Amino acid sequence: MTQARTLVMLWVLAGSALLLVVSANQQQYERFLLQHVHCNPRGRDDAYCNRQMRYMLREDRRRDPNPGKKICKEINTFIHETKDAIRAVCQGGGSEYVTRSGQVMHRSFSSFQVTTCRFHGGKPLENCRYRASRDSRRIVIACDEDRNPVHFEESHI
Amino acid sequence: MQITSSGCVPRAGSRERVRAPGAGAGVIRPRQAGPARALLGLSTREVLQLWRVEADLSLSREIWPLLKSSGPTSPFKMDIDIECQELSGSRWTELVSSMKDCKAIRLDYCKLSRSHCEDLCSVLSTNQSLKELKLDHNELKDEGVEVLCKGLLTPSCNLELLWLENCNLTGACCESLRSVLSAKPSLTDLHLSRNKLDTSGGKVLCQGLLDANCKAQSLVMRSCELRGDNAEMLTSILSKATLKKLDISNNKLGDAAIKQLCQGLMDPNSNLQLLHLENCDITADSCGDLATVLSTKPLLLDLAVGKNNIGDAGFTLLCKGLVYPNCNIQKLCLDTCGMTADSCGDLATVLSTNPSLLDLALDNNNIGDVGLILLCKGLIHPKCNIQKLWLWECHFTAVACKDLANVIGTKESLRRISLTLNELGDAGMEMLCQGLKDPKCKLQFLSLKECGLTSACCESLRSVLSTKQSLKHLEIGSNRLKDEGAKLICEGLLDTNCNLETIWLGESELTAACCDSLAAVIRTKQCLRYLGLDLNRLENEGVRKLCEAVRSPNCKLKYLMLYDIYWSSEVEAELRALEESKPGLKIIF
């Protein structure tokens, strides 16, 4: 009886471990989407940055089980494309390079419309003020095993 | 006992929070990882928690909400402080039952609606000790507020502070608010920002404020779509002797309205201390009237007219008022006012004649080198008592830095200065360091983001850090400091003279190579509370070194900012485990 129970426990543990990795990746991808993807921006100006950053920061806190002090994130870029178009960069739509410590980055072949929001003063959260700078450039991202973007390189090459 | 759900760090505040003896910080994890929940969809952390619950059932009680722990027999008053959580069903019912004895309730972004207001209404009519109610960012709508007002009107209700920012209210609810204002002298603090109250709503509200029974002290109605026609009513409330604070920024009022407002301010009964009129469509036309107010109202301490295109002409007029001996303005905000170097001579005169000015913000005005050099002549004057100076993006360069350095090295009152977004360059920074090293300099906060600095100025910076005991907060990221620069800065930080609590080195082109130095700082400097390293390519190697240092018992860090740094899932797990093991630490991913 106990042997069977041990076996069941082992399967449950293995399954949970797998789900652990899967759910961790999923969480990173969803965070990437929240922080860096905004398909239909309305006017990519300072007011846009204020709105979008505040929404993003608020939602980010809401998803965090233990958010801590409110902070206005210093710099953040929004990519104005569908998530599929961005995922495509992970799936052959970009050139790969490997960093010193073995991290694989993907640099897109095509240019993307982006808006970078830089913190410009104000108290977190609802008064965080930002300056917008619009750009069209190749993006550099890192992808997970499922070929979903999980990291955006703000300091692009 | 304090119930907070917005983080494990207790918030500093002037409100008294009575804690039950021996109680912990009272952290509630909003999404409880109870055994009933499926594994799918949980975050890594939640799954780990779940494991711990299953492994040791005796722990499970600590993870469930602590709402029940201070029952009706508790002798201590409670506060409720919750944000960004959906409150419904049994959770809401439990919460309401704990509101009986609260002094302060804050429920921001909790998806509250009219039905919640019914319950809050009964709380208001039974809880005599409730003083503060903050319900910002909930879709209460007019109907919700009308229900709340019923509770507010009950004889036993003694509410003092009511905040309803961004609750999707319109002018329609102002009638109910009016009746509360005219019945409740206890209500002194009202925030209604970001609700489309419109002209009509504004007028009705003002009627309530004008009532003799109303003892309102603070009124904040930013972005309420008020217009020029509200001027008359706003003017009359200014003559209310109890009113100390009025913030009507981001309403298209216009010059005619401001002129009327100034007339109201001139009323001998007016005791206003704070007036915020940012982005109110003010031009030079009303600056003469504002100047008259400044020269006659010694009680006015805080004036904000930023984001109005008053220009040099307007500013010259304002100065006429600012130089008056009767003018006691302590805080002046003039950001984005279209000022140039031409205004700076007059501003220098103000600084050298008016000893009351403590806090000056001139961000985003094109004053340039010429302007700043002129300003410095005023700043350096012995009569000038400036404590805080904000010069974000004022378009000055190294050319003005010698004079600025002189001010920094002489003005002992100067505690906080921001020079962010001015192209100082290394040459400019070197000069500033000379001033910073002066023993007379007692600077506590220094911001130098995006100033065009490189590692070349970091030796001088190191020298400053190793001598300036007063410096507590330094923001120097968004400069190409690189590993070389960071290492020098760390050397300065390690000096026993250095008492830095906060340092932001984000976006500074740092790599794993400087992480040994950073680790040494983390391990040694017990005074360091906040370290920002976001947007640097520290990679797994670098982050691991930091983790090791953070584990050291000497490390008393509260916040470690690691936004937008790419690491593997193993390192991610390591970071999360590290955060769990150090209860006072928050790692920001």
Side-chain angles (χ1 to χ4, degrees):
Chain A
M1 251 346 241
T2 43
Q3 221 180 7
R5 199 178 282 167
T6 318
L7 257 158
V8 169
M9 273 302 292
L10 279 171
W11 275 113
V12 169
L13 281 169
S16 312
L18 185 67
L19 283 166
L20 205 110
V21 173
V22 168
S23 67
N25 275 345
Q26 182 67 16
Q27 192 194 15
Q28 279 192 301
Y29 174 45
E30 288 190 350
R31 192 146 193 258
F32 176 92
L33 291 176
L34 172 67
Q35 299 211 337
H36 300 296
V37 181
H38 189 216
C39 196
N40 282 320
R42 253 185 14 234
R44 290 152 60 190
D45 55 0
D46 292 356
Y48 164 72
C49 275
N50 289 347
R51 277 192 320 267
Q52 197 60 23
M53 286 300 294
R54 288 172 198 172
Y55 162 73
M56 185 275 278
L57 290 167
R58 218 187 307 136
E59 182 60 25
D60 202 37
R61 277 176 72 75
R62 198 186 64 79
R63 295 182 191 183
D64 187 339
N66 190 16
K69 188 166 107 161
K70 290 181 204 177
I71 287 167
C72 300
K73 191 180 180 194
E74 285 285 337
I75 301 153
N76 190 72
T77 299
F78 294 106
I79 312 167
H80 309 302
E81 253 306 342
T82 61
K83 57 184 180 189
D84 289 329
I86 301 165
R87 282 169 79 231
V89 176
C90 293
Q91 296 159 6
S95 60
E96 284 186 16
Y97 69 91
V98 181
T99 69
R100 211 185 66 164
S101 62
Q103 292 172 337
V104 181
M105 296 288 169
H106 298 253
R107 191 222 241 133
S108 66
F109 291 131
S110 47
S111 291
F112 285 77
Q113 292 291 330
V114 300
T115 304
T116 299
C117 302
R118 286 177 172 275
F119 178 60
H120 197 69
K123 280 198 168 139
L125 261 174
E126 283 307 304
N127 293 306
C128 298
R129 290 191 318 268
Y130 288 89
R131 289 304 209 82
S133 58
R134 293 176 278 195
D135 203 357
S136 170
R137 61 170 200 253
R138 298 166 68 175
I139 58 171
V140 177
I141 57 179
C143 313
D144 64 14
E145 295 99 47
D146 303 317
R147 305 210 282 174
N148 284 324
V150 291
H151 169 77
F152 181 82
E153 271 288 299
E154 290 279 352
S155 46
H156 65 290
I157 310 137
Chain B
M1 164 98 159
Q2 178 186 322
I3 301 174
T4 53
S5 284
S6 57
C8 59
V9 178
R11 284 187 340 172
S14 52
R15 287 204 308 281
E16 191 194 308
R17 293 237 165 105
V18 185
R19 291 165 202 270
V27 176
I28 302 176
R29 295 183 189 260
R31 284 176 295 286
Q32 303 308 313
R37 285 189 58 183
L39 276 173
L40 281 167
L42 292 176
S43 68
T44 314
R45 164 183 260 132
E46 284 169 311
V47 174
L48 285 170
Q49 270 190 317
L50 181 60
W51 280 38
R52 268 195 263 128
V53 172
E54 288 191 358
D56 183 350
L57 290 171
S58 65
L59 286 176
S60 62
R61 258 180 227 110
E62 285 174 24
I63 297 179
W64 292 107
L66 299 164
L67 291 168
K68 291 200 169 85
S69 50
S70 50
T73 52
S74 164
F76 295 92
K77 298 287 180 211
M78 286 183 354
D79 276 353
I80 293 178
D81 191 349
I82 300 176
E83 64 167 54
C84 295
Q85 293 173 46
E86 214 163 315
L87 300 171
S88 54
S90 57
R91 175 117 207 263
W92 175 246
T93 319
E94 273 189 73
L95 193 63
V96 171
S97 61
S98 67
M99 286 183 189
K100 296 201 221 338
D101 297 307
C102 282
K103 269 170 82 174
I105 297 173
R106 183 178 80 103
L107 301 168
D108 290 352
Y109 286 112
C110 290
K111 299 213 169 145
L112 303 183
S113 62
R114 195 226 143 103
S115 54
H116 296 88
C117 292
E118 304 276 0
D119 295 313
L120 288 168
C121 177
S122 43
V123 172
L124 284 163
S125 39
T126 47
N127 182 344
Q128 294 199 16
S129 22
L130 187 64
K131 296 270 180 276
E132 292 181 13
L133 182 60
K134 293 185 182 179
L135 301 170
D136 302 328
H137 314 291
N138 291 295
E139 280 281 311
L140 302 181
K141 299 201 194 161
D142 296 325
E143 11 167 71
V145 169
E146 274 156 27
V147 168
L148 278 176
C149 287
K150 289 202 184 90
L152 287 164
L153 282 168
T154 54
S156 53
C157 178
N158 295 319
L159 200 74
E160 293 174 7
L161 182 150
L162 179 63
W163 289 18
L164 298 167
E165 176 170 338
N166 191 25
C167 289
N168 199 1
L169 310 180
T170 74
C173 70
C174 291
E175 179 51 47
S176 319
L177 287 167
R178 186 202 62 75
S179 48
V180 173
L181 285 164
S182 41
K184 290 288 172 181
S186 60
L187 191 62
T188 51
D189 197 319
L190 185 61
H191 274 224
L192 296 169
S193 300
R194 292 174 61 194
N195 290 299
K196 295 190 175 144
L197 303 180
D198 204 50
T199 316
S200 51
K203 284 189 177 160
V204 170
L205 212 61
C206 284
Q207 278 172 14
L209 289 159
L210 280 173
D211 194 295
N213 261 341
C214 173
K215 307 276 181 252
Q217 293 176 14
S218 169
L219 182 62
V220 178
M221 294 202 292
R222 301 170 64 99
S223 314
C224 285
E225 299 200 1
L226 305 175
R227 300 255 186 284
D229 353 356
N230 284 115
E232 215 176 295
M233 293 311 282
L234 286 169
T235 304
S236 39
I237 62 167
L238 282 168
S239 53
K240 205 169 181 62
T242 55
L243 195 66
K244 295 208 175 65
K245 172 175 167 177
L246 180 65
D247 184 350
I248 42 177
S249 302
N250 302 328
N251 290 297
K252 286 187 176 32
L253 301 174
D255 287 317
I258 299 303
K259 284 183 181 172
Q260 275 194 281
L261 226 71
C262 289
Q263 276 183 30
L265 283 163
M266 294 299 290
D267 189 302
N269 286 327
S270 172
N271 293 321
L272 206 69
Q273 293 176 7
L274 180 149
L275 179 61
H276 284 192
L277 298 168
E278 301 198 284
N279 190 23
C280 284
D281 276 2
I282 303 175
T283 74
D285 276 356
S286 27
C287 288
D289 299 78
L290 282 166
T292 312
V293 172
L294 286 165
S295 59
T296 12
K297 286 297 188 177
L299 286 173
L300 192 62
L301 302 174
D302 184 329
L303 176 66
V305 287
K307 301 187 188 63
N308 289 298
N309 199 4
I310 62 174
D312 292 321
F315 186 69
T316 308
L317 288 167
L318 277 180
C319 283
K320 288 194 185 351
L322 290 164
V323 291
Y324 261 75
N326 248 351
C327 175
N328 287 329
I329 283 280
Q330 292 178 359
K331 186 168 176 199
L332 185 59
C333 181
L334 295 161
D335 83 272
T336 323
C337 279
M339 285 160 52
T340 71
D342 288 348
S343 286
C344 293
D346 289 319
L347 188 45
T349 310
V350 170
L351 289 162
S352 48
T353 34
N354 196 330
S356 45
L357 193 58
L358 305 174
D359 184 332
L360 178 63
L362 293 169
D363 311 310
N364 204 24
N365 286 298
N366 196 351
I367 62 175
D369 291 316
V370 174
L372 185 55
I373 291 173
L374 275 169
L375 215 64
C376 286
K377 291 188 174 27
L379 288 163
I380 205 143
H381 195 277
K383 253 199 158 174
C384 175
N385 290 321
I386 198 86
Q387 293 178 3
K388 181 177 167 193
L389 184 61
W390 245 229
L391 297 167
W392 281 66
E393 206 170 7
C394 284
H395 301 259
F396 63 88
T397 70
V399 171
C401 285
K402 182 150 169 284
D403 292 65
L404 188 53
N406 206 11
V407 170
I408 290 172
T410 332
K411 195 83 322 194
E412 291 193 56
S413 60
L414 190 60
R415 294 279 185 267
R416 298 164 65 94
I417 188 166
S418 176
L419 305 171
T420 288
L421 272 165
N422 291 292
E423 195 62 34
L424 309 177
D426 294 318
M429 193 61 217
E430 298 272 353
M431 284 188 263
L432 289 179
C433 286
Q434 295 308 308
L436 286 163
K437 279 196 278 210
D438 194 303
K440 287 196 284 312
C441 168
K442 304 274 187 285
L443 208 64
Q444 292 173 357
F445 176 100
L446 177 60
S447 181
L448 294 160
K449 299 183 287 189
E450 286 187 85
C451 287
L453 311 180
T454 75
S455 54
C457 67
C458 291
E459 173 51 46
S460 306
L461 206 44
R462 183 203 63 74
S463 164
V464 168
L465 289 167
S466 56
T467 45
K468 197 84 303 181
Q469 298 190 348
S470 61
L471 196 63
K472 296 230 162 52
H473 312 281
L474 177 64
E475 292 179 344
I476 196 161
S478 296
N479 287 298
R480 309 189 73 171
L481 304 175
K482 299 206 170 160
D483 295 319
E484 215 186 299
K487 284 180 189 172
L488 285 164
I489 289 173
C490 287
E491 264 182 57
L493 289 172
L494 283 169
D495 195 298
T496 45
N497 274 330
C498 178
N499 296 319
L500 217 66
E501 292 174 11
T502 301
I503 181 161
W504 189 70
L505 287 162
E507 202 190 27
S508 301
E509 297 186 19
L510 310 186
T511 73
C514 69
C515 288
D516 284 313
S517 305
L518 286 167
V521 171
I522 294 171
R523 257 197 303 273
T524 344
K525 293 309 270 192
Q526 298 204 35
C527 52
L528 193 64
R529 292 280 176 273
Y530 175 115
L531 174 59
L533 294 166
D534 32 313
L535 292 151
N536 288 301
R537 291 221 193 104
L538 304 182
E539 298 192 6
N540 291 332
E541 190 193 329
V543 177
R544 283 212 161 98
K545 284 188 181 156
L546 298 180
C547 282
E548 215 186 294
V550 171
R551 279 188 206 107
S552 136
N554 267 348
C555 168
K556 304 274 185 285
L557 264 185
K558 280 193 183 157
Y559 293 95
L560 180 60
M561 290 261 269
L562 298 173
Y563 267 126
D564 289 319
I565 298 175
Y566 185 48
W567 48 61
S568 65
S569 42
E570 288 88 31
V571 171
E572 171 112 356
E574 203 177 316
L575 284 164
R576 293 204 187 271
L578 178 58
E579 205 183 0
E580 297 277 326
S581 69
K582 281 203 117 146
L585 171 71
K586 171 77 191 159
I587 301 181
I588 297 163
F589 295 78

